[in-house]
């Protein structure tokens, strides 16, 4: 059975499960998407790995896995979402060390969080896309693209700043606030400040 390569389309709040997120994957050569419900920690971990400007001061669990693997010469070649049972996706990571390949079972959310860090491709099978894949209408796709930007860094926060309040700060002050938000591991605020900086530059 041939493999179909997927890419990460976006992450948004789940409409069906409180406190959960929907990770939406889409086939690279097609129009079907594969929504997967994941936990808040995994959503945050995937979102941070997708970021280029925000780096946590302490490694998250998946960052630790990456460092461990690099240290001991283990490469993650690809991730395969290979089974769907009662709405639960099952995945495997194909690992390589010294030319020898091993397959390791993993939760799909963990496997994808690790794949992003290794720049490894994500695949699934046709029968899984047939069962769980959906076609997004153009307006839904545009809405999801918007959510990807807004909700790229989900996190539980005690307080956040409204975007409009950033207008009174200079670029230098915003950069200082961005650095401080990252140090405090306040990634949602950091994402908002980053967006404000990007708008001005």
């Amino acid at each position: 059975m041939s493999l179909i390569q997927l890419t990460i389309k976006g992450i948004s709040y789940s409409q069906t499960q409180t406190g959960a997120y929907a990770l939406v994957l889409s086939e690279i050569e097609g129009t079907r998407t594969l929504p997967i419900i994941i936990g808040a920690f995994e959503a945050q971990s995937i979102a941070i790995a997708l970021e280029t400007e925000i780096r946590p001061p302490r490694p998250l669990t998946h960052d630790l896995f990456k460092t461990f693997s690099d240290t001991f010469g283990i490469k993650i070649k690809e991730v395969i979402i290979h089974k769907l049972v009662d709405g639960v996706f099952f995945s495997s990571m194909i690992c390589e060390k010294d030319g020898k390949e091993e397959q390791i079972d993993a939760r799909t959310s963990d496997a994808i969080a690790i794949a992003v860090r290794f720049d490894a491709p994500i695949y699934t099978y046709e029968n899984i896309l047939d069962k769980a894949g959906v076609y997004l209408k153009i307006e839904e796709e545009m809405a999801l693209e918007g959510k990807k930007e807004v909700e790229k860094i989900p996190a539980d926060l005690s307080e956040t700043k409204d975007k409009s309040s950033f207008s009174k700060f200079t670029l230098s002050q915003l950069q200082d606030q961005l650095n401080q938000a990252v140090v405090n591991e306040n990634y949602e605020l950091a994402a908002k400040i980053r967006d404000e900086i990007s708008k001005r530059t």
Side-chain angles (χ1 to χ4, degrees):
M1 202 181 304
S2 62
L3 290 169
I4 298 169
Q5 189 170 355
L6 304 170
T7 186
I8 296 173
K9 187 78 175 170
I11 301 172
S12 64
Y13 292 106
S14 170
Q15 303 298 314
T16 57
Q17 294 186 30
T18 306
Y21 292 82
L23 169 66
V24 181
L25 305 174
S26 64
E27 56 181 335
I28 288 180
E29 297 181 1
T31 57
R32 287 173 297 182
T33 61
L34 191 66
I36 300 173
I37 302 301
I38 62 175
F41 170 77
E42 291 79 10
Q44 180 181 8
S45 181
I46 292 168
I48 287 173
L50 292 171
E51 270 297 340
T52 54
E53 297 175 28
I54 298 174
R55 283 288 168 264
R58 298 180 299 163
L60 302 177
T61 304
H62 301 110
D63 296 322
L64 179 60
F65 181 93
K66 172 76 162 65
T67 303
F68 179 89
S69 300
D70 288 345
T71 301
F72 291 99
I74 301 167
K75 181 184 176 186
I76 306 299
K77 291 185 67 178
E78 60 190 27
V79 164
I80 302 173
I81 303 169
H82 61 83
K83 190 165 65 171
L84 174 62
V85 179
D86 297 330
V88 178
F89 293 91
F90 293 77
S91 295
S92 298
M93 299 187 300
I94 309 302
C95 311
E96 182 184 57
K97 178 176 168 61
D98 300 330
K100 182 181 177 184
E101 283 191 6
E102 293 287 347
Q103 183 172 309
I104 298 175
D105 287 334
R107 293 189 312 165
T108 299
S109 54
D110 288 328
I112 291 172
I114 290 167
V116 173
R117 286 164 170 80
F118 279 88
D119 223 1
I122 303 163
Y123 297 99
T124 193
Y125 292 108
E126 181 70 37
N127 65 323
I128 291 178
L129 271 175
D130 282 343
K131 279 199 284 187
V134 295
Y135 291 91
L136 277 186
K137 295 176 184 174
I138 291 175
E139 57 269 23
E140 290 173 332
E141 193 169 330
M142 290 173 65
L144 183 59
E145 283 296 332
K147 283 186 177 180
K148 185 176 181 181
E149 193 62 36
V150 173
E151 300 174 5
K152 208 170 185 183
I153 304 292
D156 291 327
L157 303 168
S158 56
E159 59 176 340
T160 58
K161 291 189 178 180
D162 183 16
K163 278 189 178 183
S164 61
S165 67
F166 295 135
S167 57
K168 60 188 176 191
F169 295 107
T170 65
L171 271 176
S172 175
Q173 290 172 323
L174 286 172
Q175 192 61 55
D176 289 341
Q177 287 190 29
L178 173 62
N179 295 336
Q180 190 59 49
V182 172
V183 168
N184 293 336
E185 300 183 14
N186 190 338
Y187 301 118
E188 186 175 344
L189 176 57
K192 289 178 181 177
I193 297 171
R194 177 213 58 207
D195 291 344
E196 178 67 24
I197 292 172
S198 297
K199 275 198 304 187
R200 296 193 195 182
T201 55

